[in-house]
Amino acid sequence: MSFRTTTDVDYVEDVSPGSGALPPRAWCASSDAKSLSLNGSWRLRVSPTIDAEDDSFAEEGYDAGDWAEVQVPGHWVLQGHGSPIYTNVVYPFPVDPPHVPTENPTGDHLRVFDLPADWPDRSEGEAVIRFDGVESCARVWLNGTDIGEFKGSRVPHEFAVGHLLKPAGNVLAVRVHQWSAGSYLEDQDQWWLPGIFRDVTLLHRPAGGVLDFFVHADYDHVTGEGTLRVDSDVDGRVRVPALDIDVTTGEPVTVAVEPWTAESPQLYDGELVTEGERVPLRIGFRTIALEDGLIKVNGRAILLKGVNRHEWHPERGRALDLATMREDVLLMKRHNINAVRTSHYPPHPAFLDLCDEYGLWVVDECDLETHGFGEQDWRDNPVDDDRWTPALLDRASRMVERDKNHPSIVFWSLGNEAGTGRGLTAMSEWIHGRDSSRLVHYEGDWNCRDTDVYSRMYADHAEVEKIGERLDGGTLKRRQLPFIQCEYGHAMGNGPGGIADYQELFEKYDRNQGGFIWEWIDHGIEHPELGYAYGGDFGEELHDGNFVCDGLIFPDRTPSPGLIEFKKVIEPVRIEGDGGAVRVTNKYDFADLSALAFAWSYEVEGEAVESGSLSVPALRPGETAEVKLPEPAADARGAETRWTVRAVLADETAWGPKGHVVAWGQVPVTARALPTVAPTDGPALDAGERRITLGPAAFDARTGALKSIGGVAVESPRLDVWRATTDNDEGEWNGGICYSKLWRAVGLHRMRHRLDAVELSDDALTVRTRVAPAAREVGLAAVYRWTSDGNKLKLTVSVAPEGEWQVPLPRLGIRLGLAEADAVEWFGGGPGEAYPDSRLASTVGRWRSTVDSLQTPYVRPQENGARADVRWAEIGGLRIEGDPEFWFTARRWTTEQLDAATHRPDLVPGETVWVNLDHGHHGVGSQSCGPGPLPQYHLGAEPAEFSFVFSTAE
C-alpha cells in the first residue's frame, strides 16, 4: 500500500490534467459486458482545507461510521455540508494561477462495495472504474492503493482497477477538492458546487472487448445513399439488420438510407461485435458541410432555433437523472426548439442520446471558461500560456472522444468566454485533425482564425442586420463565413423582448443562421424560506445576485411566458391571411407538412361558434399555399369576428401527443364596435353626504375620487406610470441605458398627485390634476372626465406632458383597488402575459382565470401578468370596456410592494386587489444582458387620451 502524506498535495495546484487515467474513448450506454453502478449512499467527511486530514481513510478497515451520508451523484453543499457560491464572471478566490486558497473545502468520500456473484474472474479480462463528473479535482484510492488524480469536472475519467478488486469489501475512497488549478478553467456562469455529481461505474473489460470506436455515417443527398464505416481499436464486425449490413470494422459500405436530421431523427440500430463484447450502436446518417458560406446538413442550409442549456435541478444541482433530462428534451421539442448549445461543458452523455433519439442539433461545448481573467485584461490567461495547453487538449479530447458517435452533434465548441490564445488554436487544430466531419465553434474568436463560423453573443438588431448584409467588416475569412448568435435574447425575469425582431433578421438574410436563447432554466435553489434562492442568499463574499435565474423555464421546469413566446416566434409553419383565406408557409428545413393536420375555428366575440378541419397540401420546405376558408354559418352582424387556424400533430409522435399545437394564426374578419355611453345623466352634489352621484357611481365631493359603482366599492382610481422594475429594466448591458436608474432618478416611482379642480357640468364630472415627482419640474397634466347614461359610467383620461421629458414612461394608465375580487374573465389577448415586444404568443379570445393565476412567479418578483389587447374585463363585480384596447393587470399587492420584494414569499396578499388598466407599456427588451427595447417599443411621455366604460357585471 502507498499513501501520500498530508503535505503531499501539489497535484491540486498542478496545471496538468492529472495522472493515472486511461486515454479517453467513446462512451456507450451499455454492452453485454458486466457493469456495476456505484451510485447511491456514500460516507462523507468535509474538511476546511486540503491537508486537514491524512490519507488513512483510504485504508481497508477504516471506521467511517460517524461520517455523514450523502447521495452520489450529488453535491455536498446541497446536502447540508457547506454552502453554494454563485458568480457570473469573477473568481470567488484570489486570482493567482495556478494557486488556490488554503481555505479549500475538501470532501473525503467513501464507498464499500461487493462484486456481484457473477462478476467475471480476473483471468477473463480487466476492469475499469469510470467517473463521469467530479468538481473540481479528485484523488482516488481503491483498496488502499492510490490509482491517480484528475481535473476536468465535466468530462469522464477511467482508471484500470482489475488487479485491485476482490470479491467483497472493496473500499473506494475519493478525495474531492472544491478548488484546484482546474477551477481557473471552469469559470462558467453558474453555481460553484463541489462533489461527485455524475455517475460512478465499475465496468468489466472482457478479453477481446471493445476499446475505442468511431462511427462514420455520411449521407449523400444527391443519391440518397449512406456510407457507413466503423473504425475500432479491436477488430470485429458491424451489423445493421435493417440495412442488411454485416461487414468487418474499418470496411466502408454504401446503402440506400433515410437520413438523420433534427426534424426526422432516423436512427438505425446496429451492433459492434468483437471477440469479447457486443456493443449496441444507434446510427444516424448525415453530412455536415460548410458550403457557399453556409452551414449545410445533407445539402441544405439549416436555421438554428436554439437554447443554451446548463444542467440544473433545483434540489440536486447538476446531478440530473434520466427522467429530468428527458423532460428537458420533450419540452424543447414541444416548443419548436431545434437546437441546443451545451453551455458551457459537455452534458451528461445520456442527454446526447436523447438528442439523437428525439432530434436536436447540438453544439457540444468543451469544459473551458476563463472569464474572470477579463477583469484584468486577460493577463495570465491560461489559454495563452503554453503550460496549460496539455490541460486544454485533455479537455478537448475527452469531449470529442466521448461524444464522437452522436449524429446530433453539428459543432464542437472550444469553450466560452476565455479570450483568445495559443491554447485555443492547439485545441482547434487537434479537433479538426481528429474529426473533419463536423465544424468548430468558438465565440471569442471574432477573426475566425480557429473557427468555421462567425459567432457572437448579444449583438443588437442593427449589427445583426449589417452582418446579414455582409457589411460588418472584419477579416476576409470572417466575411465569407455564416453567422450565428450563440447567445441572445437573455431570458432573465420578464422577457426577453425583441426576439421576434431577431427572428425576422435570421429569416431575411441567408448568412444569419439563427442562434441560441440564453438560457434554458432558472438556476434557483429550492429553499424552505425564500422559495428559490439565488446569489447572495448563502452569505457569499462575492456574488451576482439573481443573474443565475435567466431561463425560459422556472426552476421547477414550468414554462415561462418567455418560452411560450419563443415557441410562437420560431414556429415552423406560418399562418397568416385576411378575409376568407389563409396563406400557409412551410418553414421547416427538411420536412414537408404531411405530419400535420390543420383545424379552424370561427370566433364571435372571442368564443368559437364553428370549427372544422382545413385541407392543406403537404408543402415542401419554403413553399406557400393559399387556402380558402369555409363560409361561416353563424349570423354575427355587429360582432367582432375572426378565424383561428392551428397546425397540430396529425398523429402521436415520440415527443408529442396527437393534436399537439405546433403553430397557429389568427385572421380578423370584422372589427369590434367601440363602447359608447351617451352622456344623458348629469352629476348631482349631495352636500350633506359630501358626495357626488353620477349614474351608478358615487364620488368624493371634495376630491372627485370615485368611491363606488353600482354598489361595488372602488379605491383610488388615478393615473399610474410606475411598474415594479424588471430584471431587464435594471440592466445596463454594454453601457446601455439602465431604465430603472433613469426612472428612479426622475422620481417616477414616487409620483405625487395634486388636485387642481373638481368641476360639475350638466353632463360631466371633470377632475383636473397634475401628477409629478418631487424635486423635478416635469409633470403630467391628467384630466379625468366622467359621464354616464344612467347605467354605465365612462371615464375619459386626457394626459399632457409638462416640462422637458427626457425619459420614456414605464407605463401609462390608471390604477384602482377592489375590496373583493377573485374570478376574472376577459376578451382580449391570452391566456398568458404579454408586453409590447413580447406579445406574439398572445391569442385574442375569451379567457378565464383567478387573480392569483394571473401572476407570473418570477424567482425575483417584478412587473408581470399584463394581458394585452383587452376589449373588456370582468372582475370583482365590475365590467370594464376599453377604447382603445388596453393592458389589464390585477394582483393582491401594490406595485410598490411588488417592487420591494426580493423573493416570492415577500409578497403577502392583502385585502385589496389592485387593478391596472393601461393605455401603454414600455417594452421589456433583454438589457439584463443584451439590447434594450427597440425604439418602436418605447413609451414616450406624449399627449394621450383613452377611455374606459364601467358597469356592473351581470
Side-chain angles (χ1 to χ4, degrees):
M1 298 180 188
S2 63
F3 298 101
R4 292 176 181 265
T5 68
T6 57
T7 58
D8 192 4
V9 291
D10 292 346
Y11 66 90
V12 175
E13 295 184 337
D14 189 339
V15 299
S16 75
S19 64
L22 296 170
R25 65 191 182 103
W27 191 90
C28 61
S30 63
S31 79
D32 65 347
K34 296 292 183 182
S35 67
L36 175 66
S37 172
L38 298 179
N39 295 345
S41 180
W42 289 51
R43 291 289 184 173
L44 172 75
R45 174 183 64 191
V46 178
S47 305
T49 66
I50 60 176
D51 57 358
E53 302 285 349
D54 61 25
D55 301 344
S56 60
F57 81 102
E59 296 183 41
E60 297 178 75
Y62 182 89
D63 183 5
D66 60 345
W67 289 20
E69 289 191 43
V70 293
Q71 289 298 307
V72 170
H75 306 276
W76 72 69
V77 295
L78 296 183
Q79 299 184 64
H81 307 281
S83 299
I85 299 169
Y86 167 60
T87 61
N88 170 28
V89 176
V90 301
Y91 292 100
F93 49 79
V95 181
D96 183 22
H99 305 296
V100 294
T102 300
E103 297 85 356
N104 188 351
T106 295
D108 290 334
H109 295 71
L110 206 58
R111 170 72 191 264
V112 179
F113 65 93
D114 299 335
L115 295 179
D118 59 351
W119 191 266
D121 185 80
R122 174 81 195 280
S123 63
E124 299 177 60
E126 181 55 84
V128 302
I129 191 166
R130 183 177 69 206
F131 295 88
D132 282 319
V134 182
E135 183 176 329
S136 72
C137 172
R139 176 163 289 280
V140 186
W141 295 263
L142 182 62
N143 292 329
T145 298
D146 179 354
I147 60 176
E149 82 281 342
F150 62 92
K151 308 177 193 76
S153 297
R154 287 160 277 274
V155 287
H157 296 82
E158 291 183 330
F159 297 88
V161 296
H163 60 294
L164 300 174
L165 290 173
K166 56 185 183 178
N170 292 282
V171 178
L172 177 59
V174 185
R175 172 163 284 172
V176 180
H177 308 287
Q178 173 152 27
W179 310 120
S180 69
S183 301
Y184 284 100
L185 305 180
E186 297 173 3
D187 187 29
Q188 294 101 342
D189 175 13
Q190 60 179 341
W191 294 96
W192 299 87
L193 298 172
I196 304 171
F197 67 93
R198 286 187 185 159
D199 306 289
V200 182
T201 311
L202 182 68
L203 302 164
H204 181 243
R205 306 310 307 133
V210 174
L211 296 178
D212 191 22
F213 62 98
F214 197 162
V215 177
H216 304 273
D218 300 325
Y219 178 72
D220 187 327
H221 67 278
V222 176
T223 66
E225 294 177 321
T227 299
L228 175 67
R229 187 186 83 246
V230 178
D231 296 332
S232 173
D233 288 357
V234 175
D235 291 341
R237 298 197 67 80
V238 177
R239 296 169 182 155
V240 187
L243 298 175
D244 293 325
I245 291 176
D246 187 345
V247 296
T248 60
T249 53
E251 178 183 345
V253 58
T254 300
V255 294
V257 297
E258 291 296 322
W260 189 98
T261 73
E263 295 168 8
S264 53
Q266 175 65 55
L267 292 173
Y268 292 94
D269 289 326
E271 197 173 43
L272 169 58
V273 182
T274 67
E275 180 182 355
E277 190 174 11
R278 307 172 80 93
V279 173
L281 305 175
R282 302 203 78 189
I283 302 164
F285 292 86
R286 86 286 180 270
T287 297
I288 303 156
L290 190 63
E291 295 178 354
D292 307 318
L294 299 174
I295 306 160
K296 292 187 178 181
V297 179
N298 302 338
R300 294 187 184 181
I302 60 173
L303 185 61
L304 300 169
K305 304 170 182 179
V307 292
N308 287 274
R309 174 187 176 270
H310 269 297
E311 294 183 307
W312 188 250
H313 187 281
E315 298 174 73
R316 301 192 299 272
R318 286 189 286 279
L320 298 191
D321 59 6
L322 182 61
T324 299
M325 291 184 269
R326 189 182 303 275
E327 184 178 358
D328 279 347
V329 171
L330 292 177
L331 274 171
M332 290 176 189
K333 293 293 291 187
R334 291 169 184 168
H335 289 85
N336 295 328
I337 290 165
N338 71 0
V340 178
R341 177 178 174 227
T342 68
S343 53
H344 295 294
Y345 42 81
H348 191 292
F351 179 77
L352 297 174
D353 287 340
L354 295 169
C355 293
D356 294 341
E357 178 182 351
Y358 291 102
L360 289 167
W361 309 117
V362 174
V363 177
D364 197 2
E365 193 146 272
C366 192
D367 188 11
L368 172 62
E369 181 166 339
T370 65
H371 203 170
F373 285 92
E375 298 293 296
Q376 53 197 56
D377 298 322
W378 300 105
R379 187 175 63 256
D380 298 326
N381 186 4
V383 305
D384 201 29
D385 183 335
D386 291 337
R387 294 175 300 168
W388 294 81
T389 299
L392 304 186
L393 290 172
D394 182 75
R395 289 167 184 251
S397 64
R398 289 186 183 278
M399 171 184 70
V400 171
E401 301 295 5
R402 188 196 77 168
D403 296 342
K404 58 183 177 282
N405 295 323
H406 289 283
S408 56
I409 297 174
V410 181
F411 284 99
W412 301 117
S413 180
L414 303 181
N416 184 66
E417 292 176 317
T420 57
R422 291 164 288 174
L424 289 166
T425 299
M427 294 169 68
S428 176
E429 290 175 350
W430 184 89
I431 292 173
H432 277 109
R434 177 59 173 146
D435 180 19
S436 60
S437 71
R438 294 179 176 93
L439 306 179
V440 171
H441 166 273
Y442 177 66
E443 184 273 338
D445 182 15
W446 285 15
N447 289 328
C448 303
R449 178 183 64 181
D450 301 322
T451 61
D452 301 313
V453 62
Y454 178 31
S455 176
R456 290 284 301 282
M457 53 176 69
Y458 308 111
D460 63 25
H461 300 79
E463 184 177 3
V464 171
E465 180 140 37
K466 282 186 178 180
I467 292 170
E469 294 172 332
R470 300 184 186 273
L471 298 175
D472 57 305
T475 63
L476 175 62
K477 179 183 178 183
R478 189 180 93 180
R479 295 197 305 272
Q480 295 172 335
L481 292 179
F483 171 74
I484 63 171
Q485 283 256 62
C486 69
E487 295 179 22
Y488 81 107
H490 197 255
M492 186 176 179
N494 188 333
I499 56 174
D501 306 273
Y502 272 120
Q503 191 66 22
E504 286 183 12
L505 296 172
F506 296 157
E507 295 181 9
K508 182 178 180 181
Y509 299 102
D510 290 344
R511 186 189 185 193
N512 294 347
Q513 290 195 254
F516 299 82
I517 294 289
W518 185 268
E519 65 160 305
W520 176 239
I521 188 169
D522 287 341
H523 300 198
I525 294 177
E526 194 166 279
H527 192 283
E529 298 168 1
L530 302 176
Y532 290 108
Y534 48 75
D537 288 334
F538 298 97
E540 300 101 307
E541 180 181 29
L542 296 172
H543 66 86
D544 286 288
N546 70 313
F547 203 73
V548 76
C549 296
D550 47 13
L552 291 172
I553 59 176
F554 297 126
D556 64 357
R557 284 181 160 73
T558 300
S560 77
L563 180 58
I564 306 303
E565 176 78 358
F566 191 46
K567 175 186 178 181
K568 176 61 178 172
V569 167
I570 61 175
E571 61 187 10
V573 182
R574 177 174 293 157
I575 301 170
E576 55 194 355
D578 49 60
V582 291
R583 291 182 301 280
V584 178
T585 302
N586 181 352
K587 296 165 67 178
Y588 284 110
D589 292 327
F590 297 92
D592 63 24
L593 300 188
S594 58
L596 300 179
F598 289 78
W600 60 265
S601 62
Y602 182 67
E603 293 154 13
V604 177
E605 296 294 317
E607 299 253 56
V609 296
E610 298 178 49
S611 61
S613 60
L614 193 66
S615 179
V616 175
L619 301 171
R620 293 190 295 271
E623 289 186 339
T624 298
E626 186 156 316
V627 182
K628 186 174 177 56
L629 293 162
E631 288 292 332
D635 182 359
R637 284 174 292 183
E640 181 179 359
T641 61
R642 65 178 28 80
W643 299 95
T644 299
V645 177
R646 296 176 175 86
V648 303
L649 290 179
D651 295 293
E652 182 180 0
T653 70
W655 53 265
K658 179 179 180 179
H660 167 78
V661 177
V662 173
W664 58 270
Q666 291 192 299
V667 180
V669 181
T670 57
R672 67 183 286 238
L674 295 175
T676 60
V677 174
T680 57
D681 202 21
L685 174 63
D686 185 333
E689 294 291 334
R690 296 183 179 179
R691 69 173 184 171
I692 299 168
T693 58
L694 176 61
F699 299 80
D700 184 285
R702 184 181 64 84
T703 64
L706 177 66
K707 292 300 183 182
S708 66
I709 301 174
V712 177
V714 180
E715 183 177 345
S716 304
R718 61 182 187 176
L719 195 73
D720 191 16
V721 299
W722 184 245
R723 72 185 185 195
T725 50
T726 68
D727 290 319
N728 288 304
D729 293 336
E730 298 280 352
E732 45 192 324
W733 170 82
N734 205 25
I737 298 170
C738 176
Y739 288 100
S740 174
K741 287 183 180 178
L742 197 65
W743 292 336
R744 292 181 197 275
V746 174
L748 299 187
H749 62 306
R750 49 178 177 79
M751 301 291 274
R752 298 291 182 261
H753 297 253
R754 186 184 77 203
L755 177 63
D756 288 340
V758 177
E759 302 169 353
L760 283 70
S761 64
D762 290 342
D763 62 356
L765 167 63
T766 303
V767 180
R768 302 185 186 277
T769 69
R770 187 175 190 269
V771 182
R776 297 286 175 176
E777 64 175 358
V778 296
L780 299 170
V783 178
Y784 310 96
R785 187 172 188 272
W786 300 92
T787 57
S788 177
D789 62 3
N791 294 310
K792 295 182 177 181
L793 180 71
K794 182 177 182 180
L795 167 63
T796 300
V797 183
S798 301
V799 180
E802 297 179 346
E804 295 294 326
W805 281 86
Q806 302 293 321
V807 300
L809 299 175
R811 73 178 341 132
L812 181 65
I814 64 167
R815 175 167 53 164
L816 56 87
L818 298 175
E820 293 185 10
D822 185 25
V824 183
E825 183 174 356
W826 74 98
F827 175 23
E833 74 178 27
Y835 287 83
D837 52 353
S838 59
R839 63 187 298 175
L840 220 62
S842 182
T843 309
V844 175
R846 287 273 288 274
W847 307 103
R848 295 167 181 83
S849 178
T850 63
V851 169
D852 293 340
S853 296
L854 290 175
Q855 314 312 309
T856 302
Y858 294 112
V859 172
R860 184 191 76 82
Q862 56 199 273
E863 166 61 38
N864 73 89
R867 269 56 179 181
D869 303 313
V870 175
R871 282 80 166 141
W872 57 258
E874 292 185 355
I875 180 172
L878 284 184
R879 180 182 176 91
I880 308 161
E881 301 173 79
D883 178 12
E885 293 82 14
F886 59 99
W887 306 82
F888 173 81
T889 311
R891 52 178 70 104
R892 298 187 188 278
W893 35 79
T894 66
T895 298
E896 291 73 22
Q897 290 168 328
L898 181 61
D899 199 25
T902 60
H903 295 82
R904 295 179 189 174
D906 294 341
L907 296 171
V908 179
E911 296 181 356
T912 301
V913 171
W914 295 97
V915 178
N916 279 89
L917 310 173
D918 291 318
H919 179 61
H921 258 277
H922 190 65
V924 293
S926 63
Q927 197 161 275
S928 52
C929 190
L934 290 168
Q936 60 266 35
Y937 305 119
H938 288 203
L939 179 61
E942 299 170 349
E945 185 171 285
F946 47 94
S947 299
F948 301 101
V949 174
F950 298 89
S951 58
T952 53
E954 296 180 359

